[in-house]
Amino acid sequence: MKTIFLVDDSATVLISTSSILSKAGYQVEKAASAEEAMTKFKSGLKPDLLITDLNMPGMNGIDLIKQVKLIPTLRFMPILLLTTESQQAKRADAKAAGASGWLVKPATADELLSTIKLVIK
């Protein structure tokens, strides 16, 4: 079973996205902030995919991606941004940081699952 790690400061997004992923057969880990996510990574969490929000208090999603890419065991893990932002400049920043893809909220269950299938083997 593949593990997907969701990071979003919105409890509603965590619950709804987690539900979609669980029903599709994925194991789901969650964090409400980038800082909480980094704590979990440092304690040994190695998911198959990270899905993170962009705009969060404290560390944002792009900074989280940069931090994750510094961890040798996670360097090649695919990362998706799930955000309300759709600006091309932000997408370019995310890609430069190491993001594998971008989904604009609210993404449908089908959009989410088909994108995940493209990035996790």
Side-chain angles (χ1 to χ4, degrees), residues 14-15 23 32 36-37 45 60 62 66 77 103:
L14 285 178
I15 291 165
K23 285 177 186 164
E36 183 185 342
L45 179 65
N60 70 30
I62 291 174
K66 290 176 182 173
M77 173 185 60
L103 284 162

Side-chain angles (χ1 to χ4, degrees), residues 7-105:
V7 182
D8 201 305
D9 58 320
S10 164
T12 306
V13 170
L14 285 178
I15 291 165
S16 62
T17 308
S18 175
S19 172
I20 292 166
L21 297 175
S22 296
K23 285 177 186 164
Y26 295 104
Q27 181 175 331
V28 181
E29 292 285 335
K30 296 179 283 217
S33 69
E35 293 82 3
E36 183 185 342
M38 286 307 299
T39 300
K40 289 187 176 195
F41 284 132
K42 288 176 181 167
S43 66
L45 179 65
K46 289 186 194 136
D48 297 287
L49 171 66
L50 169 63
I51 300 176
T52 183
D53 188 14
L54 174 60
N55 298 311
M56 296 181 283
M59 187 189 310
N60 70 30
I62 291 174
D63 290 335
L64 173 61
I65 293 169
K66 290 176 182 173
Q67 290 297 308
V68 168
K69 292 295 180 180
L70 295 174
I71 302 170
T73 56
L74 301 174
R75 217 165 81 216
F76 300 109
M77 173 185 60
I79 301 172
L80 294 176
L81 269 152
L82 179 63
T83 179
T84 55
E85 297 279 348
S86 59
Q87 300 159 350
Q88 210 52 49
K90 295 260 189 206
R91 287 180 191 228
D93 290 346
K95 191 165 181 59
S100 312
W102 186 284
L103 284 162
V104 177
K105 289 178 189 172

